Amino acid sequence: MLSEKAAYNNGERELDMQYRMHCIYRLFRYFQPLEQHIDIEQRISRSIRQGYLYRNPLTPEYATGLADGFAAMKDKADYHVLRGKSAASGFTIIGVSGVGKSTAVEKILSLYPQKIIHTRYRETPLASTQLVWLKLDCPHDGSLKQLCYQFFYALDMAAGTDYFQLYTKGRYSLDMLLIIMTQLVRLFQIGILVIDEIQHLSEAKGGGSDKMLNFFVTLVNTIGLPVVMIGTTKAMSILQGEFRQARRGSGQGDLIWDRIKNDAVWQVFVKSMWRYQWTKKHVPYSEGMVNMLYDESQGIIDIAVKLYAIVQIEAITSGVESFSASDIHKVAEKKLGLVKPMLDALRSGDRKKILRYEDITPVSIEDYLSAYQVVKPEIQEKTAEKKLTVLEQTVVKLLEVDVEPPVAKRLAGKVIASHKNPVSVGEAFKEAYRLYISEVPDMPETEKSGEDLRESDGYEDIKRKGFVDETEW
Ligand SMILES: Nc1ncnc2c1ncn2[C@@H]1O[C@H](COP(=O)(O)OP(=O)(O)OP(=O)(O)O)[C@@H](O)[C@H]1O
Ligand SMILES: [Mg+2]
């Protein structure tokens, strides 16, 4: 259910270069489920279901919780006053940038309907809108207030409400916003909250990161909302220490997502990616390619997919239409300058070095593509010139002297076909034009022979009609 194939047809290899550039983008759409995804799917499935255990909307406890939350809103109380029983547990996913954390979680969440509108539960009427999941990104500056706003926004997007408008306009204090947020979590029966890019917390000023993390623990412990946090290795330091204990207590474990090893999983991934190839020549899947791709990407999916795309773009724009394992190496050398130190650290396997490069800069494929447009017009021109056959060039020349397109095509074709050996464009044009003149019935005699117009019979006629001004001569 998770796997997603991109559209592909082998015949597309024959398309013009510019269309194949579009096709290559499909590489970023396909999805190959791997071992890790099964694990994460099960964790998310357990979290959602365990979290709902104590949140049956038909129980008195649920009603009390909702009423307490409302009272806290009116009294402008601190969110710490909220109490509850909870069976929830969340977890944290930590891994190098680009291993596919966000994609994995998004794919898995998309297996669930995000919004369910209830009208009854068995025999009991029940009017409620349930949001099974909500995913937000941690704000860049790690600000908790911004996080609240993002929460309102994501909730509005999912449920069709307008809390964002309502609560960003009024000047609510942070504590108030947190209470409102917890109340909305209850009201919409949110099943799981996912916070991505949690490493941004390291930018938070003055204990901001502790405050946010504590708030998440509160959500888990009092509301019973499982919270999943996703972050790069940079987030590791924030999640250490005191906070770690708190999370342990609430049943949250860490999932360290290592990059893929060069084993069967990697082969499955490369093999499924290999099918998406748009070079004119078929480049077969081979062990050499698999190993080279691993060595250059160090098992980071994001880099592997982009390398595979760039090596194809290179092959297509250069007109070679094929590539070898050493081309992958060359492209990596040339294009992955920014992430090279990090990849080198990963390659060395030295933990200290790896931690020094806490994050790798994301690689943007757009930059590469636009670079091709800027740097390589001469290549495109050259291939364009080469691609025009003698026939086509002759037609173009004929068109330039105003021969109608269908006639130009026919005559050029006739001339070229009449020669056994290849003929130059100039020669073909001359012959075709001669043919053209001889075919046009009402062409004046003089033009055919190239004589002086003034000596022809019609000259006096033209002069009388005022087309000639002899004073110019
Ligand atoms: N299983 C997969 N099959 C195919 N492509 C994948 C897979 N997983 C990830 N990708 C590709 O890798 C790219 C990066 O993945 P993603 O953004 O999820 O990484 P990340 O770990 O969240 O990185 P960051 O920490 O920088 O946010 C995606 O654009 C996607 O195209
Ligand atoms: Mg991500």
Side-chain angles (χ1 to χ4, degrees), residues 101-103 196-197 230:
K101 305 178 294 294
S102 309
T103 317
D196 202 349
E197 313 285 356
I230 309 175

Side-chain angles (χ1 to χ4, degrees), residues 44 65 181 244 334 380 392:
I44 289 182
M181 188 165 152
R244 196 183 182 88
K334 228 163 66 183
Q380 298 193 355
E392 285 163 334

Side-chain angles (χ1 to χ4, degrees), residues 114-349:
Q114 191 179 16
K115 177 167 90 167
I116 305 172
I117 297 176
H118 298 277
T119 52
R120 60 174 53 250
Y121 175 72
R122 296 199 178 145
E123 299 310 311
T124 320
L126 169 72
S128 104
T129 301
Q130 175 189 4
L131 293 180
V132 179
W133 55 269
L134 213 55
K135 181 172 178 288
L136 339 163
D137 285 347
C138 180
H140 283 278
D141 54 359
S143 134
L144 194 45
K145 204 161 189 173
Q146 287 297 329
L147 183 96
C148 290
Y149 292 159
Q150 290 206 14
F151 173 84
F152 298 139
Y153 187 76
L155 186 112
D156 287 351
M157 283 293 138
T161 49
D162 53 5
Y163 291 110
F164 181 77
Q165 281 280 337
L166 189 66
Y167 292 125
T168 46
K169 269 202 193 129
R171 290 230 200 92
Y172 291 95
S173 68
L174 176 61
D175 274 330
M176 194 61 191
L177 287 173
L178 294 176
I179 291 201
I180 294 168
M181 188 165 152
T182 46
Q183 187 70 350
L184 289 174
V185 168
R186 280 194 227 252
L187 193 60
F188 284 90
Q189 311 270 339
I190 295 177
I192 195 166
L193 181 67
V194 180
I195 315 277
D196 202 349
E197 313 285 356
I198 198 80
Q199 72 276 5
H200 287 160
L201 276 186
S202 62
E203 305 290 320
K205 288 183 260 350
S209 69
D210 283 348
K211 195 154 190 190
M212 192 181 293
L213 292 170
N214 281 326
F215 176 63
F216 293 150
V217 173
T218 312
L219 281 179
V220 176
N221 290 343
T222 63
I223 315 272
L225 170 72
V227 178
V228 173
M229 289 183 270
I230 309 175
T232 61
T233 38
K234 202 172 173 181
M236 203 89 100
S237 53
I238 316 161
L239 301 175
Q240 302 286 348
E242 208 183 304
F243 178 66
R244 196 183 182 88
Q245 296 305 321
R247 278 182 312 144
R248 277 278 157 76
S250 63
Q252 303 203 64
D254 287 346
L255 186 148
I256 306 289
W257 185 326
D258 249 331
R259 59 213 165 96
I260 307 177
K261 296 196 182 61
N262 190 2
D263 56 11
V265 175
W266 179 251
Q267 284 170 16
V268 165
F269 169 72
V270 176
K271 203 165 199 166
S272 79
M273 173 169 84
W274 210 259
R275 142 181 75 202
Y276 303 107
Q277 207 180 71
W278 286 274
T279 47
K280 282 223 158 83
K281 292 176 198 140
H282 171 74
V283 180
Y285 167 88
S286 70
E287 207 164 297
M289 292 285 190
V290 174
N291 290 335
M292 182 57 89
L293 215 47
Y294 187 84
D295 196 43
E296 295 302 341
S297 70
Q298 286 300 302
I300 295 172
I301 294 184
D302 187 44
I303 293 186
V305 177
K306 279 168 182 162
L307 261 182
Y308 188 52
I310 298 170
V311 79
Q312 289 193 45
I313 292 168
E314 281 269 355
I316 292 172
T317 47
S318 66
V320 179
E321 297 290 353
S322 171
F323 58 89
S324 62
S326 68
D327 285 330
I328 296 180
H329 174 68
K330 267 184 234 153
V331 164
E333 284 276 289
K334 228 163 66 183
K335 305 288 178 185
L336 295 186
L338 279 178
V339 291
K340 196 172 184 300
M342 176 68 186
L343 289 173
D344 285 343
L346 285 174
R347 212 169 276 134
S348 74

